[in-house]
Amino acid sequence: MLEKVKGFNGDRVIEEFEALTKDAERVQRETLQRILEENGKAEYLQNLGLGGKTDPDCFKACVPLVTHKDLEPYIQRIADEEDASPILTGRPIKSISLSSGTTQGKPKFVPFNDELEQSTMQIYRTSFAFRNRAHPIGNGKSLQFIYSSKQFKTKGGLLATTATTNVYLSQQFKNTMKDIQSQCCSPDEVIFSLDYNQSLYCHLLCGLIYSDEVQFVFSTFAHSIVHAFRTFEQVWEELCCDIREGVLSSRITIPSIRSAFSKFLRPNPQLANTIYNKCSNLSNWYGLIPELWPNAKYVYGIMTGSMEPYLNKLRHYAASLPLMSADYGSSEGWIGANIDPGEPPESATFTVLPNIGYFEFIPLKERAHEQEVDNYGSMVVRKEPEPIGLTKVNVGEEYEIIMTTFAGLYRYRLGDVVKTAGFHNSAPKLQFVHRRNLILTVNIDKNTEKDLQLAVEEASKLLAAEKVEVLDFTSHVDMSTNPGHYVIFWELSGDVKDEVLNNCCNCLDRAFVDAGYVGSRKIRAIGPLELRIVNRGTFHKILEHHLALGAAMNQFKTPRYVGLSNHSVLQILNDSVHKSICSNAYD
Ligand code: AMP
């Protein structure tokens, strides 16, 4: 029997989920029909000649596959025009979400509406029902590193902000969270402050004040949790001082936050001493989370994809506390819920909810659509394979995901590559593989974000003996040399002998094992890989740069590839290089 948390009935949520996934094909057909009926008046659909038809075959025949670039002019008109005419959706778009844009270098505008809000709640409720079955939480609080981002009005008067802020602002979110999540330790003034450094300090302080009540630790992406505890290592004595004296540090200058704290911050020397002693006794901060938050049941957040490199550090802070990877979605729309929270984050899967959108999948098995070299050595372009339906995907194969949403995106290429890990009833369980466009390539070589991650993982093992970690990393292809070569940027936690760095650089070069790379390196059609070591704090500068562009701390993902078009970030990196090593692995 599932435990009931306040007004939440986990049994019912799981029953509904079971019913939806048992007949995923029918639910998909009905979902497509609803999307097309509700948005039938939209100019975009009217122009495609569907003539009221809503079946998958007509839909595929009339509606083209698109990227964000194709829809940009429509979304821009929604943002700019004041008369709210039906452009992409039947009913007016409520607000605009800014996607993190950390992969492209600038935030993208995407439509946000009530249906998106509802599917967000459905995903949250579903994964919570499964999580709570495995690790029931009591009626305590939660330490959540969540941050709102800038809000502004578009020319046409719509609110524009990040998707997470759009969700936090909604009444549905507040109602759902009351039911399913423990209350956040921090007051709204902390979450909605626009200075994330001040918010972070205050989240930590609130977490400590309510340390015995905290049931779990959360942030949207694992990066923010690691960042929060790295900051804790720097400011813990100041936090203890605030608790001892009952006075908020002078680093907090925002009046609304100071006034919110004045309602509950009181001198508590006993708590301050306990925290001080615990911190002093920790060895290199191992097990910090369970030590300071003894009633926490788990750490929760997205830990897959570009978040995997932070898992080691997260495990260090969490010790034996379970790490539970959160759901899969994007500013454009949700895709799947993690219903096996007990699985380690590295093998987390996301079961697609078949009623939150219509999903198609382009098979990538043969990469047949890409340019390939034929038997005679000349380049040929093969036709892209037809996308297949949600229930037709094969276990073990990779696909590019295409989504059609209630918020006005039709056959939209999200840019993510996923792999089918299995099925729950008739709904696929997907694993996130990588972003499709993040590819290191000089000529016939192709290395993805995942290949890069594995290479860095391998090479960073050589640093273990030196007790130094790779704090963050990214890559670039330098074509200014002849031939071009891969560049990997590393920020390290300490100094390392040149000899060790040389070994790391050679190891990185050898770790890219695709035939295109190895072959080209051997014949010198790709130059030696270059490892550039950047100063401490460089990746923090990159984060600050993205936040200044309007990205939210909640959605930030370190770009794992920085192209020439992202020149500001490239400049930050290159200005911070203090050592550069070239590989001799193929000499
Ligand atoms: P944003 O547009 O900022 O909302 O970012 C959405 C992107 O983040 C997705 O398209 C994915 O590339 C990535 N993402 C979201 N959820 C996950 C997840 N659970 N695992 C891995 N990557 C994810």
Side-chain angles (χ1 to χ4, degrees):
M1 191 63 183
L2 279 186
E3 178 159 324
K4 281 192 188 168
V5 178
K6 290 172 260 174
F8 179 78
N9 185 336
D11 288 326
R12 185 156 342 120
V13 173
I14 291 180
E15 268 166 33
E16 282 165 11
F17 173 77
E18 291 297 332
L20 280 173
T21 52
K22 271 192 181 125
D23 200 353
E25 193 173 343
R26 178 183 54 81
V27 176
Q28 277 283 274
R29 259 199 321 276
E30 289 171 2
T31 303
L32 179 63
Q33 185 179 353
R34 270 184 51 216
I35 293 175
L36 296 179
E37 281 171 1
E38 283 181 19
N39 300 304
K41 288 199 182 64
E43 172 192 318
Y44 183 80
L45 288 178
Q46 293 264 319
N47 289 343
L48 292 171
L50 271 162
K53 296 196 197 74
T54 60
D55 61 287
D57 288 342
C58 291
F59 176 64
K60 286 182 196 170
C62 298
V63 180
L65 294 176
V66 291
T67 61
H68 186 268
K69 214 169 172 29
D70 299 313
L71 294 186
E72 232 162 39
Y74 296 90
I75 301 175
Q76 198 60 50
R77 278 177 52 211
I78 294 172
D80 289 349
E81 290 176 9
E82 282 171 19
D83 65 353
S85 58
I87 297 174
L88 286 171
T89 49
R91 276 183 289 146
I93 285 296
K94 197 168 153 183
S95 53
I96 295 288
S97 289
L98 289 131
S99 82
S100 60
T102 35
T103 46
Q104 273 82 25
K106 66 173 175 44
K108 292 179 293 190
F109 275 17
V110 293
F112 184 85
N113 65 3
D114 288 340
E115 284 79 1
L116 216 49
E117 213 172 285
Q118 272 161 24
S119 55
T120 307
M121 299 313 128
Q122 191 190 341
I123 286 268
Y124 285 0
R125 278 197 305 269
T126 305
S127 56
F128 177 73
F130 285 93
R131 209 160 58 247
N132 207 50
R133 185 162 71 173
H135 293 273
I137 53 168
N139 285 341
K141 292 186 185 290
S142 52
L143 169 54
Q144 302 193 30
F145 298 105
I146 54 176
Y147 311 85
S148 149
S149 52
K150 282 191 204 118
Q151 299 162 28
F152 63 92
K153 286 274 168 149
T154 65
K155 213 163 119 198
L158 290 184
L159 174 74
T161 185
T162 51
T164 36
T165 307
N166 266 323
V167 169
Y168 297 154
L169 289 170
S170 79
Q171 194 51 44
Q172 281 200 58
F173 173 75
K174 291 188 178 126
N175 296 342
T176 308
M177 290 303 119
K178 252 194 267 152
D179 282 348
I180 72 165
Q181 279 198 348
S182 314
Q183 193 198 347
C184 178
C185 291
S186 309
D188 274 3
E189 287 80 356
V190 170
I191 301 167
F192 287 96
S193 113
L194 291 181
D195 181 327
Y196 93 92
N197 282 312
Q198 296 199 30
S199 294
L200 168 53
Y201 183 89
C202 293
H203 281 316
L204 289 167
L205 184 56
C206 293
L208 292 175
I209 294 171
Y210 298 109
S211 47
D212 280 343
E213 294 175 51
V214 166
Q215 300 290 309
F216 67 94
V217 175
F218 167 80
S219 190
T220 314
F221 285 100
H223 167 266
S224 298
I225 309 180
V226 169
H227 179 70
F229 291 118
R230 281 210 172 110
T231 306
F232 181 87
E233 292 183 24
Q234 313 297 320
V235 299
W236 66 280
E237 286 170 300
E238 201 174 329
L239 289 163
C240 286
C241 180
D242 290 5
I243 295 172
R244 182 169 292 112
E245 311 286 334
V247 180
L248 192 56
S249 157
S250 59
R251 69 162 74 215
I252 306 301
T253 55
I254 298 171
S256 60
I257 299 189
R258 295 199 70 87
S259 136
F261 267 89
S262 68
K263 297 188 186 118
F264 60 87
L265 180 61
R266 301 283 174 268
N268 191 341
Q270 199 188 344
L271 177 63
N273 288 342
T274 309
I275 298 167
Y276 193 94
N277 291 337
K278 285 181 172 181
C279 289
S280 309
N281 290 332
L282 282 170
S283 162
N284 195 22
W285 301 101
Y286 179 79
L288 162 69
I289 303 175
E291 190 61 25
L292 293 188
W293 291 278
N295 295 314
K297 313 283 186 301
Y298 50 84
V299 178
Y300 182 56
I302 293 175
M303 298 172 188
T304 34
S306 61
M307 296 297 128
E308 270 183 43
Y310 306 109
L311 279 173
N312 275 346
K313 194 66 185 174
L314 201 51
R315 286 208 167 94
H316 182 83
Y317 289 131
S320 57
L321 208 59
L323 300 184
M324 297 200 180
S325 198
D327 309 312
Y328 174 32
S330 63
S331 306
E332 287 88 339
W334 283 97
I335 297 160
N338 179 2
I339 61 161
D340 305 295
E343 286 292 313
E346 287 86 349
S347 40
T349 61
F350 310 99
T351 306
V352 180
L353 270 66
N355 69 333
I356 57 177
Y358 183 74
F359 299 97
E360 294 170 77
F361 297 84
I362 302 179
L364 296 178
K365 196 168 60 171
E366 288 146 22
R367 302 191 174 212
H369 58 289
E370 288 167 1
Q371 284 194 328
E372 285 174 359
V373 180
D374 67 15
N375 293 340
Y376 305 99
S378 44
M379 293 298 242
V380 289
V381 180
R382 305 243 167 83
K383 204 173 159 284
E384 187 164 76
E386 279 298 306
I388 57 175
L390 178 72
T391 55
K392 301 284 184 290
V393 292
N394 294 318
V395 174
E397 287 177 14
E398 290 187 3
Y399 301 92
E400 180 186 340
I401 193 159
I402 310 288
M403 58 208 290
T404 294
T405 71
F406 284 95
L409 307 179
Y410 307 97
R411 308 197 83 201
Y412 176 92
R413 301 177 86 139
L414 183 61
D416 286 350
V417 174
V418 294
K419 183 176 182 168
T420 318
F423 281 87
H424 180 86
N425 296 322
S426 57
K429 291 175 124 176
L430 304 177
Q431 262 173 338
F432 180 86
V433 183
H434 59 81
R435 296 282 302 170
R436 185 155 192 191
N437 59 354
L438 286 190
I439 283 187
L440 279 163
T441 177
V442 171
N443 48 50
I444 57 164
D445 52 310
K446 283 193 182 67
N447 281 295
T448 66
E449 182 182 3
K450 184 84 189 174
D451 301 318
L452 170 68
Q453 184 194 315
L454 293 175
V456 171
E457 240 171 65
E458 196 53 37
S460 57
K461 286 181 193 156
L462 304 174
L463 297 171
E466 310 282 308
K467 297 211 167 7
V468 168
E469 325 159 53
V470 177
L471 294 177
D472 227 327
F473 64 93
T474 191
S475 66
H476 171 66
V477 164
D478 187 349
M479 295 301 281
S480 67
T481 54
N482 189 14
H485 67 283
Y486 289 12
V487 178
I488 313 289
F489 293 93
W490 271 8
E491 182 176 326
L492 299 176
S493 63
D495 290 334
V496 182
K497 290 193 258 345
D498 285 356
E499 183 196 336
V500 178
L501 288 178
N502 283 337
N503 292 341
C504 290
C505 183
N506 288 345
C507 179
L508 282 168
D509 205 2
R510 279 194 215 99
F512 292 103
V513 289
D514 76 294
Y517 186 76
V518 176
S520 305
R521 280 289 286 120
K522 281 185 182 154
I523 60 163
R524 311 253 186 289
I526 297 181
L529 181 143
E530 187 185 350
L531 175 60
R532 293 184 190 163
I533 309 295
V534 295
N535 297 327
R536 275 296 288 270
T538 303
F539 281 83
H540 195 75
K541 278 192 200 155
I542 294 175
L543 166 71
E544 302 265 4
H545 169 79
H546 281 284
L547 296 184
L549 286 179
M553 183 63 193
N554 281 326
Q555 282 169 249
F556 179 76
K557 305 164 209 69
T558 296
R560 297 291 180 214
Y561 176 78
V562 182
L564 284 178
S565 60
N566 200 350
H567 45 85
S568 325
V569 172
L570 200 55
Q571 179 98 37
I572 296 174
L573 286 162
N574 282 330
D575 287 352
S576 313
V577 174
H578 68 258
K579 201 170 268 181
S580 156
I581 304 106
C582 280
S583 155
N584 52 20
Y586 287 87
D587 284 0

